[in-house]
Amino acid sequence: MRTLLLLASFSLLAVAADRPQFNDKGELLFPADYREWTYLSSGLGMTYGPAAAQALESPMFDNVFVNPSAYAAFKQTGKWPDSTIFVLEIRYSVSQGSINKGGFYQSDVVAIEAAVKDTARFEKGWGYFNFAGGLRPFLTSTKVLDRKASCYGCHEPNGAVENSFSQFYPTALSVAEKMGTVRASYQAPAPSPVRLFHTMNAQGASAAAILDKTKAENPNALSLREASLNAMGYAFLQQGDKTQAVAVMQWMTAAFPKSANAQDSLSEVYEEAGQPELALNSAKAAAALVDADTTLGDDRRGRVKQALDERIARLSKK
């Protein structure tokens, strides 16, 4: 029994230790161990205003952490409890350093900010803090920002879950969606290829109908690009759903009528689905498009031609 009591006391102390701590001036103390907390997500070059072009020139990383006790409660309810504290760590990005030749990786800290939920302490329940850092002196404690600060006007109407930008934290958003705590006014972005694929699987509806709906709502969605459609079609084929595989590839050829690759993929799926005549027609259509398809480089064009010639010859014998 004594061992159990000691363990329970240790657990309570651990939970208390990760909660927001304030000094006698009401200033938030900097949580030095925040990088050991629950990591929520990172953004690169994110901006909510007209600085988008500049962000692309020298994008910064935003890393978000939340205290573990708050996240444990959030997973049970889909709501952030009192004593939730988020830490936003902003870092420079670097490209072409060491062995890296493309893309970006993280470098020095630019700034550190925090958000705290405390319904007794703050008006409307949330307070925002700036610990500076980077080119400015780092603060070990700081007072809450005035209600006129832009943080409030941005978070209060735009957070997907209460004041939090959980729309940018994939695992947290999944929890909130499951629990039904996502703000009703939140407008979800176009579904990713992965989400769209699993939606088709879960609903058992026609792939074409779901793709039509997606196009009507989000005509520029990543999921509707040829490469995405091609990947989804082959994913259906791999799991043995030839009907959906054919439906996706048919939709893709209609969306990209000048693509030799689209017709080639449709031909392959038709053949796997036991429809050799349709496979042959699509292979011939692909062959007719190869020379004019500007998306094919010379090397790939040659390989595609060879593969099509072999498929046409094989299918012509059936």
Side-chain angles (χ1 to χ4, degrees):
M1 174 65 83
R2 182 178 180 183
T3 301
L4 291 175
L5 289 173
L6 286 172
L7 287 173
S9 297
F10 178 79
S11 178
L12 288 173
L13 287 172
V15 168
D18 78 0
R19 291 177 176 174
Q21 303 293 322
F22 296 87
N23 62 22
D24 54 8
K25 298 178 182 178
E27 297 174 332
L28 178 67
L29 302 181
F30 177 67
D33 62 345
Y34 73 88
R35 271 196 155 262
E36 299 174 19
W37 290 1
T38 300
Y39 165 74
L40 289 175
S41 189
S42 293
L44 176 61
M46 296 181 67
T47 178
Y48 310 136
Q54 182 179 355
L56 292 176
E57 294 173 5
S58 54
M60 293 186 184
F61 281 94
D62 296 337
N63 302 314
V64 182
F65 304 85
V66 68
N67 51 329
S69 62
Y71 191 63
F74 178 80
K75 288 190 293 183
Q76 298 299 317
T77 64
K79 298 179 180 179
W80 298 109
D82 266 10
S83 294
T84 293
I85 173 171
F86 294 95
V87 172
L88 171 63
E89 176 194 74
I90 304 170
R91 288 180 178 267
Y92 288 115
S93 67
V94 179
S95 182
Q96 299 186 12
S98 183
I99 63 171
N100 180 58
K101 303 303 179 185
F104 299 89
Y105 61 93
Q106 300 192 34
S107 180
D108 299 314
V109 171
V110 177
I112 297 180
E113 301 172 358
V116 173
K117 181 179 180 182
D118 188 326
T119 52
R121 185 182 293 268
F122 304 121
E123 182 181 347
K124 297 188 178 180
W126 291 82
Y128 297 91
F129 302 82
N130 188 341
F131 286 101
L135 297 176
R136 301 166 296 170
F138 173 75
L139 303 175
T140 57
S141 66
T142 186
K143 64 181 181 180
V144 65
L145 294 175
D146 187 88
R147 284 288 305 175
K148 295 179 181 179
S150 61
C151 307
Y152 298 94
C154 190
H155 280 265
E156 288 175 0
N158 297 309
V161 181
E162 302 173 62
N163 279 34
S164 74
F165 286 153
S166 294
Q167 59 264 49
F168 303 136
Y169 317 146
T171 53
L173 182 60
S174 295
V175 170
E177 288 175 333
K178 181 179 179 181
M179 297 293 181
T181 56
V182 177
R183 189 190 300 266
S185 60
Y186 167 64
Q187 295 294 315
S192 70
V194 169
R195 179 169 290 219
L196 195 61
F197 174 77
H198 288 297
T199 297
M200 294 175 187
N201 265 331
Q203 294 184 1
S206 165
I210 292 177
L211 289 169
D212 285 340
K213 182 175 183 293
T214 301
K215 183 177 181 180
E217 295 174 349
N218 302 281
N220 297 317
L222 171 65
S223 302
L224 302 181
R225 295 179 185 176
E226 183 181 348
S228 300
L229 294 164
N230 200 59
M232 285 189 282
Y234 279 114
F236 276 122
L237 187 63
Q238 186 176 23
Q239 71 178 29
D241 193 339
K242 297 174 182 178
T243 299
Q244 291 285 62
V246 167
V248 171
M249 296 305 194
Q250 286 176 332
W251 200 95
M252 178 175 67
T253 58
F256 300 93
K258 297 181 179 180
S259 171
N261 179 71
Q263 286 288 352
D264 180 39
S265 296
L266 179 58
S267 173
E268 186 175 353
V269 170
Y270 272 143
E271 186 175 8
E272 291 289 334
Q275 302 180 63
E277 291 185 7
L278 292 176
L280 178 59
N281 291 339
S282 290
K284 289 180 177 179
L289 292 169
V290 169
D291 288 332
D293 190 338
T294 57
T295 65
L296 299 174
D298 291 338
D299 290 343
R300 188 181 176 200
R301 183 176 284 107
R303 293 195 300 272
V304 171
K305 277 187 175 182
Q306 182 179 350
L308 285 169
D309 288 343
E310 293 173 357
R311 183 177 296 126
I312 290 171
R314 183 176 65 253
L315 291 170
S316 296
K317 296 177 181 178
K318 293 185 178 181

